[in-house]
Amino acid sequence: MSIESDLKKDGIEIIGRLDTLSINSLAKNVADKICNAFPKAHFSAGQLFIELSRVPMYIAKMPEGYAEANYFYKNSSIYFKQGVALEELEKFAVHELIHYIQEVKDNKGNLYRLGLCEYGEFKTYGMALNEGAVQLATAKTLNHNEDVVKYYDISFPTTSPNCYPILCNLVRQLAYITGEDLLFESTFFSTDSFKLECIKTCGRKEFLKIQDNLDKILNIEEKIIAQNHRLLEDNCEGSKAQKIAGKISTYKQDLKTIFIQTQDLIFSSYFNNEFNKLTTTQDIELYRTKLYNYQNYIGITNNYYDFSNYYVDKMAALEDLYEAIMNNVSLTVVKESKIAKLFKSIRRLFSWSSQNEKN
């Protein structure tokens, strides 16, 4: 099947090629911003400009629901939606140009790696994880500020309120654990460093579940978009509209459930593993600070107490461990302290301060 046939299958109709001057301007601006945003990546601005300026870019008609720019890996080209003003192209081009940077093909030209996404013979792994990571890199490149948004009844902080906000939040939670530099290294250069660190700190089974859940979230969001278009395009009324609205409501609830499950798995698997490594009072203080600061990354819903309950439990356990270390008591058996009992008795009364701020 030809490239044009593949594009038509996706509803993309080429109008014309973007002019050389516009391509060079985009390439220069994006290359400079990426280099400024990621100095540790050691990109050469001049070399990066040359590479990006060689990317074929087109203006095309696209179906409703498509993003303003799309990267087509089969011919390593970018397609901009007709009607997008030239001065707006840059902010939509960054995400797609990062895809170009991270692309890895074999000798036959077959794509087998795209950042954190691996293309197997029968299955693709980590697509949603990679999309979230690329969008986080895009937001950093464009110097976006953090904002608190609400989607699907979930309030959460994000630097990407309009593009993959749910995925970005969860990937950012992972990056808080591993360190941002490791995430972006693997994103740009298609390495396993980030995944291996996640496996090391959270567990292999847990990481694979998190990665799978991110793909489920991406799939559900695509279904929600498709159903919303059906409502608009078909001019649905009556029972048909109610049926579609019912599907959308179910999808939204499923997404919210998976988000909470994934978030809980991220912080519990990491902090449980790290707790078992604590041997000194200094370790305890570092752990306490990292757990406390995690509140700045989580998403919350009505009646969500999972993190606050977990926090109270861990603070109580840390108090017991601290006393045991100070008293030189065996760490294998630690009696429950008075403070630990107090923590547990007030757990349900514990109100997370950030929840009030976000609501």
Side-chain angles (χ1 to χ4, degrees):
M1 185 179 290
S2 68
I3 296 298
E4 286 191 9
S5 297
D6 285 336
L7 291 171
K8 286 182 179 179
K9 186 179 177 182
D10 289 339
I12 298 175
E13 181 182 343
I14 298 174
I15 294 174
R17 190 156 184 161
L18 193 63
D19 64 274
T20 302
L21 183 61
S22 296
I23 290 176
N24 287 342
S25 177
L26 279 176
K28 177 68 166 60
N29 292 340
V30 173
D32 287 346
K33 288 180 179 179
I34 287 177
C35 289
N36 290 333
F38 303 97
K40 293 182 180 179
H42 302 295
F43 285 114
S44 163
Q47 184 59 40
L48 189 57
F49 160 69
I50 292 172
E51 292 179 16
L52 299 185
S53 65
R54 291 172 178 168
V55 179
M57 301 182 193
Y58 300 89
I59 303 297
K61 292 181 181 178
M62 298 184 194
E64 284 299 318
Y66 265 51
E68 283 75 9
N70 284 272
Y71 182 72
F72 200 63
Y73 69 86
K74 290 186 178 181
N75 62 350
S76 301
S77 300
I78 296 176
Y79 297 87
F80 294 103
K81 182 180 287 188
Q82 181 186 27
V84 177
L86 284 175
E87 60 269 20
E88 293 289 304
L89 290 183
E90 181 182 316
K91 67 181 181 182
F92 299 121
V94 175
H95 185 106
E96 313 311 321
L97 287 171
I98 291 176
H99 275 320
Y100 174 78
I101 293 170
Q102 61 180 190
E103 185 180 77
V104 182
K105 293 183 176 180
D106 61 22
N107 293 332
K108 295 181 179 179
N110 298 313
L111 181 70
Y112 68 87
R113 187 75 185 255
L114 197 67
L116 296 164
C117 180
E118 299 177 65
Y119 291 82
E121 186 177 357
F122 302 107
K123 187 177 180 181
T124 300
Y125 301 91
M127 179 177 289
L129 175 61
N130 188 59
E131 286 298 338
V134 169
Q135 186 53 33
L136 283 175
T138 299
K140 189 175 179 69
T141 299
L142 296 173
N143 198 28
H144 286 175
N145 294 322
E146 182 182 284
D147 195 9
V148 176
V149 298
K150 188 171 185 177
Y151 288 100
Y152 313 112
D153 295 324
I154 310 167
S155 296
F156 56 90
T158 182
T159 55
S160 179
N162 300 315
C163 183
Y164 298 126
I166 292 282
L167 292 179
C168 285
N169 174 266
L170 291 171
V171 176
R172 196 162 170 239
Q173 291 188 41
L174 287 171
Y176 174 71
I177 289 169
T178 65
E180 226 181 39
D181 290 341
L182 208 57
L183 170 66
F184 293 132
E185 176 204 313
S186 288
T187 300
F188 281 113
F189 303 114
S190 296
T191 72
D192 289 325
S193 302
F194 175 73
K195 288 186 178 183
L196 290 175
E197 185 64 19
C198 286
I199 289 170
K200 176 184 174 183
T201 55
C202 296
R204 177 175 294 275
K205 179 182 177 182
E206 289 75 10
F207 171 72
L208 292 177
K209 179 63 176 177
I210 291 165
Q211 180 177 256
D212 184 56
N213 280 357
L214 293 176
D215 285 333
K216 288 180 180 178
I217 288 173
L218 180 60
N219 182 256
I220 291 173
E221 287 200 290
E222 289 173 348
K223 289 181 178 179
I224 291 173
I225 291 171
Q227 293 301 320
N228 279 326
H229 287 157
R230 284 189 64 191
L231 282 175
L232 295 174
E233 292 176 1
D234 298 345
N235 294 317
C236 293
E237 297 178 355
S239 60
K240 187 176 181 180
Q242 290 178 355
K243 185 177 180 179
I244 294 175
K247 283 185 178 181
I248 293 173
S249 179
T250 299
Y251 287 145
K252 288 182 176 180
Q253 184 57 49
D254 290 344
L255 191 150
K256 182 167 71 170
T257 299
I258 296 174
F259 175 90
I260 295 300
Q261 290 174 349
T262 307
Q263 174 173 271
D264 289 357
L265 181 57
I266 292 172
F267 71 70
S268 64
S269 60
Y270 171 71
F271 285 107
N272 285 348
N273 285 342
E274 290 300 301
F275 185 86
N276 295 328
K277 302 175 185 177
L278 303 177
T279 58
T280 68
T281 56
Q282 183 179 17
D283 291 341
I284 290 175
E285 291 308 314
L286 291 173
Y287 178 98
R288 192 195 309 272
T289 300
K290 192 158 190 177
L291 178 58
Y292 176 80
N293 288 337
Y294 198 88
Q295 66 171 307
N296 298 319
Y297 296 83
I298 66 169
I300 59 172
T301 64
N302 290 334
N303 301 315
Y304 175 76
Y305 302 104
D306 297 3
F307 183 75
S308 60
N309 288 343
Y310 183 87
Y311 178 84
V312 169
D313 279 344
K314 278 292 177 277
M315 288 299 106
L318 288 175
E319 179 65 27
D320 288 339
L321 184 59
Y322 187 90
E323 288 187 8
I325 291 174
M326 293 302 292
N327 296 324
N328 198 25
V329 176
S330 170
L331 301 184
T332 55
V333 179
V334 182
K335 293 183 179 180
E336 187 175 57
S337 68
K338 291 181 180 180
I339 292 181
K341 291 177 182 178
L342 176 62
F343 270 130
K344 291 179 180 179
S345 69
I346 65 171
R347 178 188 302 153
R348 282 297 174 186
L349 298 178
F350 185 88
S351 176
W352 201 245
S353 61
S354 64
Q355 181 168 343
N356 292 327
E357 293 174 5
K358 295 177 184 177
N359 289 340

